[in-house]
Amino acid sequence: MILLGREKPYRREMTSGNLAFAEAMRQINPDVVAAYPITPSTEIPMKFAEFVADGLTDTEFIAVESEHSAITACVGASVSGARVMTASSANGIALMHEIFPIAAMFRAPIVLGLVNRTMGAPLNIHCDHSDSMPERDSGWIQIYCEDAQEVYDTVLLAVRLAEHRDVLTPVFVCQDGFITSHCYEPVEFLSDEIVRNFVGTREPFWPLLDVDVPVSYGSFVMSEDYFEIKRTQLEGMSNVPRVCGELSRELAFVTGREYGAVERCMTDDADYVVVVMSSAAGVAKDVVDSLRGRGVKAGCLRVRMFRPFPYDEVRDVLGDKLGVAVLDRSVSPGGAPPLAAEVRTALYDCPRRVPVASYIFGLGGRDFFPADAEMVFEDLAEGRSGFAGYIGLRDKYARGRRAV
Amino acid sequence: MSAELKCWQDFPPGGIAFGATARQVETGLWRSMRPVLDAVRCVSCLRCWVQCPDASIITDSDARVSGVDFFFCKGCGLCAKVCPAGAIVMRPEAEFLNEPCGAVQGTSPEGR
Ligand code: SF4
Ligand code: SF4
């Protein structure tokens, strides 16, 4: 990318995941933001509303009366041709649920900052993935970020990805509530000019406001056509891996940071690999480093993109391992935890059966410690597979760091 | 599969319909009660015309209510409810079985 003007191309600041998201929004300068506050994502629309009030954006900021109204206003604005962003968490995401599949079918390229928080009850404001996981079938792209820098970079990427002609699919940019959203860490921001050059302006296809080509969104369709129309939606999702790869390389050209659908940490020659998402990967990678120092062939695979799920990459990384542990930060009562289910699906076609141990951890913001990750690697060395327990759960009859 | 049904590749993205218009949608099909206008009682206040959710009240060139467009009228009864002169009564559709449901009552069948 050619740098014009005299603005410094980069600046480093101590900031949080939420504030990095809001700063990216200011730089992107979306046409419409409709949002309703809910902890821990509140800071995103709060900070952005400040930018709007200070005249730093041209955005139409709609302060609505509920999350349902927020996402509904976003859909209307998006199909009208506007570039649209919003944010929410937990029960706010659940209240938006009815509209998510509509946004996906309308191919409305909305970017939503999803700050992961557990679903009540009991009421709790801290992190797990029980708000975003139920949305995995809503038709939105789901990207899970490990830290604030990745949040910032991913917002920029998400705008281009969502609006790409071959994709036209809304995106959740997920980060762990409080752990990532509220902790301060150094983040490198691009200049406004570089960001605006990268994101450009939206070129909408079939916008509602184009009076020369009048279109209707949301028509009633009977059984003879519904299936065919639904099938058209799936095209966008299937083009994500190719388009996301191209855009990630383009963004990496300015940031120096490239993200794939998965992040491999010492996985090439590893015997045992822990699979995890979001901020807990930091702990797992630290433990991999220390185990390597002791001669244990440990590795960590962080799944960054959950929808579309990178089955091929996961199979390539894990297909030859002696043992794999999958750490889920949510439960599916009566069923397989969501990440474990996907990893097992990816491994089913391997010629050799790879043992997979599945754990639940971190519900309601329960901390995940290095000793927990070490226990998981010890389990793998002992050949553990199947459901392997709840990490850090207090249990009258269990010993150590895990209950079953 | 019959020839006129399209394959999924023939549909535009987003489930959109090009150049679609509600003018062609016969909402009158599900009417069970129909408004019957008594032109002698009508005082031309136009409350029914304002309130009708389907723009089914037809007016003539003097802006007087001249009929009901039964292609769209869904029989909600709002017009009868707001009429201050009792000029509209709701009658069961069963009494009009021999009339086509898209017919226009009144003298000036304009509108669509
Ligand atoms: S019954 Fe309802 S739809 Fe029909 S003319 Fe009266 S107000 Fe309009
Ligand atoms: S509301 Fe009654 S009186 Fe008024 S215009 Fe309609 S039919 Fe006539």
Side-chain angles (χ1 to χ4, degrees), chain A residues 105-107 206 214-217 225 228-229 231-232 235, chain B residues 5-8 11-20:
Chain A
M105 181 65 239
F106 284 2
R107 311 294 291 276
W206 310 284
V215 295
S216 295
Y217 281 83
D225 284 335
E228 283 69 28
I229 291 172
R231 174 64 183 83
T232 65
E235 283 304 279
Chain B
L5 291 178
K6 294 191 282 183
C7 291
W8 74 267
F11 285 92
I16 58 173
F18 288 104

Side-chain angles (χ1 to χ4, degrees), chain B residues 35 52-53 56-57 68 73-79 90:
Chain B
C52 173
S56 304
I57 302 288
V68 177
C73 168
K74 59 194 175 196
C76 68
L78 209 59
C79 51
M90 299 302 292

Side-chain angles (χ1 to χ4, degrees), chain B residues 35 47-48 51 75-90:
Chain B
R47 283 194 196 179
C48 58
Q51 296 291 339
C76 68
L78 209 59
C79 51
K81 184 87 179 165
V82 298
C83 176
I88 299 177
V89 287
M90 299 302 292

Side-chain angles (χ1 to χ4, degrees), chain B residues 4-91:
Chain B
E4 69 269 23
L5 291 178
K6 294 191 282 183
C7 291
W8 74 267
Q9 292 91 344
D10 301 325
F11 285 92
I16 58 173
F18 288 104
T21 169
R23 278 180 182 276
Q24 291 165 4
V25 180
E26 189 174 355
T27 49
L29 281 173
W30 63 64
R31 185 179 58 248
S32 61
M33 300 282 280
R34 76 161 58 178
V36 177
L37 175 72
D38 181 348
V40 178
R41 287 187 169 218
C42 173
V43 296
S44 286
C45 69
L46 293 184
R47 283 194 196 179
C48 58
W49 179 82
V50 170
Q51 296 291 339
C52 173
D54 279 288
S56 304
I57 302 288
I58 300 164
T59 52
D60 62 18
S61 50
D62 296 331
R64 296 176 65 90
V65 172
S66 58
V68 177
D69 188 339
F70 289 120
F71 187 81
F72 297 121
C73 168
K74 59 194 175 196
C76 68
L78 209 59
C79 51
K81 184 87 179 165
V82 298
C83 176
I88 299 177
V89 287
M90 299 302 292
R91 304 295 312 166

Side-chain angles (χ1 to χ4, degrees), chain A residues 89-313:
Chain A
S89 295
N91 298 56
I93 292 295
L95 188 54
M96 290 179 170
H97 169 77
E98 186 203 4
I99 306 301
F100 286 148
I102 299 173
M105 181 65 239
F106 284 2
R107 311 294 291 276
I110 301 161
V111 174
L112 186 151
L114 197 161
V115 184
N116 284 113
R117 158 182 160 184
T118 191
M119 287 292 301
L123 185 58
N124 171 300
I125 54 170
H126 287 280
C127 174
D128 65 38
H129 296 172
S130 58
D131 51 358
S132 56
M133 282 301 164
E135 301 308 332
R136 64 192 185 274
D137 299 335
S138 290
W140 287 52
I141 296 164
Q142 293 200 357
I143 306 175
Y144 290 77
C145 302
E146 183 182 337
D147 56 31
Q149 181 70 66
E150 190 179 338
V151 169
Y152 174 75
D153 295 341
T154 303
V155 185
L156 308 184
L157 177 82
V159 169
R160 289 279 304 276
L161 178 62
E163 293 175 6
H164 193 283
R165 182 177 198 127
D166 298 341
V167 174
L168 282 177
T169 302
V171 182
F172 293 130
V173 177
C174 304
Q175 57 175 309
D176 281 351
F178 289 104
I179 303 164
T180 310
S181 68
H182 284 66
C183 285
Y184 276 63
E185 54 185 311
V187 171
E188 196 172 86
F189 292 107
L190 302 172
S191 72
D192 292 3
E193 191 177 13
I194 295 177
V195 170
R196 279 167 196 178
N197 281 339
F198 178 75
V199 297
T201 49
R202 182 179 169 198
E203 287 170 28
F205 305 100
W206 310 284
L208 208 49
L209 292 184
D210 183 353
V211 290
D212 295 329
V213 186
V215 295
S216 295
Y217 281 83
S219 306
F220 181 81
V221 172
M222 287 293 283
S223 319
E224 68 263 28
D225 284 335
Y226 177 90
F227 206 162
E228 283 69 28
I229 291 172
K230 191 70 186 171
R231 174 64 183 83
T232 65
Q233 180 197 325
L234 311 181
E235 283 304 279
M237 198 57 99
S238 65
N239 289 328
V240 169
R242 171 178 60 81
V243 174
C244 194
E246 291 164 11
L247 293 173
S248 299
R249 279 186 292 280
E250 189 184 327
L251 184 59
F253 190 66
V254 260
T255 63
R257 295 175 294 272
E258 187 173 344
Y259 307 91
V262 297
E263 181 197 348
R264 304 164 178 83
C265 169
M266 311 282 230
T267 53
D268 284 355
D269 67 335
D271 292 331
Y272 305 108
V273 174
V274 163
V275 185
V276 68
M277 294 164 70
S278 301
S279 66
V283 176
K285 287 186 278 185
D286 266 2
V287 168
V288 164
D289 281 346
S290 69
L291 288 176
R292 286 276 170 169
R294 286 184 256 151
V296 181
K297 285 189 166 178
C300 174
L301 178 69
R302 178 170 70 91
V303 174
R304 172 173 136 84
M305 188 165 277
F306 192 76
R307 281 293 179 274
F309 193 82
Y311 295 100
D312 292 343
E313 284 96 328

Side-chain angles (χ1 to χ4, degrees), chain A residues 67-78:
Chain A
E67 287 87 352
H68 191 279
S69 305
I71 192 67
T72 303
C74 287
V75 170
S78 185

